[in-house]
Amino acid sequence: MIEEHMVMTGRLLGAVLAGGLIGLERSYRGRPAGFRTHTLVCMASTVLMLITVYEWQWVQEHAPDSIRMDPTRMAQGIMTGIGFLGAGVIFKEGITVRGLTTAASIWITAALGILIGIGFYFPATVTTGLVLLVLSIFRWIESRMRVQNYARLDVSFDRGTDVDEQALRDELTRGGFDAKLMDWRLAETGEQVEYGMMIETAQPANFSRLARSLSANPKVRRFRIVPTGD
């Protein structure tokens, strides 16, 4: 009995270590689900798997022939239930969706808890290292990749002094942008014409230059640039 208790304690401490390491990285990045959240998720998954691993101690000794438990069903329940917690850290700001990486880290942390709970220490250790690699080194690689950057641009002009579509597209092209999905709207007061579009550029610094250019344009009454991102 003491040996079994030591094994349970060791697995719970392993869950604290694995979940804590991943949570520390998320806390360092300033994410709302960080150190404590990931640690608790990993511990909870481990505890629930311990229930099935040691089910013979609390079920089968009372009814050994009539009750059998399937440990895989507990794992399925854990991974299904963790989706609600993951969904809670995903939020939408305009056209930007944030929190996807944190939700994925919570999901993999739950899987780590399952591995530790059933005593699969080797795959749990390797997975923990790979998760930390993806969250740190891959972030460094991603920041140095040449990628296309997108933003939503809304700009308003006084009616009668507005710039036509082609002139606006030409100005964006000179600034290093490609305008897509342009739409038009007349303000409710009928005094302003509003253009809305997705813009694309290979240089994120172009957004600040565009903001300065629009601010200096006396015809522009209002504008808004909302970059997309994770």
Side-chain angles (χ1 to χ4, degrees), residues 132-206:
L132 293 174
L133 176 70
V134 169
L135 292 176
S136 55
I137 304 301
F138 279 28
R139 183 186 183 92
W140 179 84
I141 295 174
E142 189 177 48
S143 67
R144 284 156 178 78
M145 290 175 58
R146 182 179 178 84
V147 297
Q148 292 300 107
N149 301 272
Y150 294 86
R152 172 73 183 185
L153 170 64
D154 296 299
V155 57
S156 300
F157 301 91
D158 284 334
R159 189 175 184 181
T161 64
D162 55 295
V163 177
D164 62 50
E165 177 185 345
Q166 190 57 50
L168 182 56
R169 286 183 180 274
D170 292 342
E171 182 177 351
L172 291 171
T173 300
R174 288 192 296 270
F177 291 96
D178 182 18
K180 304 175 182 294
L181 305 174
M182 184 174 291
D183 58 76
W184 311 263
R185 188 167 74 94
L186 183 64
E188 294 180 359
T189 59
E191 298 177 353
Q192 291 183 346
V193 176
E194 300 178 356
Y195 293 94
M197 71 209 77
M198 290 294 298
I199 55 177
E200 171 191 346
T201 181
Q203 299 294 330
N206 286 341

Side-chain angles (χ1 to χ4, degrees), residues 91-98 148-154 177 197-201 203-211 223-230:
F91 57 95
K92 187 172 183 293
E93 293 180 343
I95 60 174
T96 300
V97 178
R98 299 184 181 276
Q148 292 300 107
N149 301 272
Y150 294 86
R152 172 73 183 185
L153 170 64
D154 296 299
F177 291 96
M197 71 209 77
M198 290 294 298
I199 55 177
E200 171 191 346
T201 181
Q203 299 294 330
N206 286 341
F207 292 128
S208 60
R209 285 194 285 269
L210 176 62
F223 73 88
R224 186 185 185 203
I225 304 173
V226 184
T228 62
D230 178 20

Side-chain angles (χ1 to χ4, degrees), residues 53-165:
V53 170
Y54 290 94
E55 50 100 4
W56 57 270
Q57 290 189 2
W58 59 278
V59 173
Q60 291 188 8
E61 65 180 15
H62 300 292
D65 297 325
S66 61
I67 297 178
R68 290 293 184 270
M69 296 184 65
D70 181 5
T72 61
R73 295 188 65 181
M74 178 65 80
Q76 292 170 1
I78 293 171
M79 299 311 291
T80 301
I82 207 66
F84 292 97
L85 183 59
V89 300
I90 300 175
F91 57 95
K92 187 172 183 293
E93 293 180 343
I95 60 174
T96 300
V97 178
R98 299 184 181 276
L100 293 173
T101 302
T102 300
S105 69
I106 290 175
W107 194 34
I108 191 66
T109 301
L112 281 171
I114 293 173
L115 289 175
I116 295 170
I118 61 178
F120 281 15
Y121 293 114
F122 177 73
T125 301
V126 173
T127 302
T128 300
L130 290 175
V131 170
L132 293 174
L133 176 70
V134 169
L135 292 176
S136 55
I137 304 301
F138 279 28
R139 183 186 183 92
W140 179 84
I141 295 174
E142 189 177 48
S143 67
R144 284 156 178 78
M145 290 175 58
R146 182 179 178 84
V147 297
Q148 292 300 107
N149 301 272
Y150 294 86
R152 172 73 183 185
L153 170 64
D154 296 299
V155 57
S156 300
F157 301 91
D158 284 334
R159 189 175 184 181
T161 64
D162 55 295
V163 177
D164 62 50
E165 177 185 345

Side-chain angles (χ1 to χ4, degrees), residues 27-41:
S27 291
Y28 176 74
R29 301 296 178 187
R31 299 302 187 263
F35 182 52
R36 292 180 297 171
T37 302
H38 284 74
T39 302
L40 290 174
V41 165

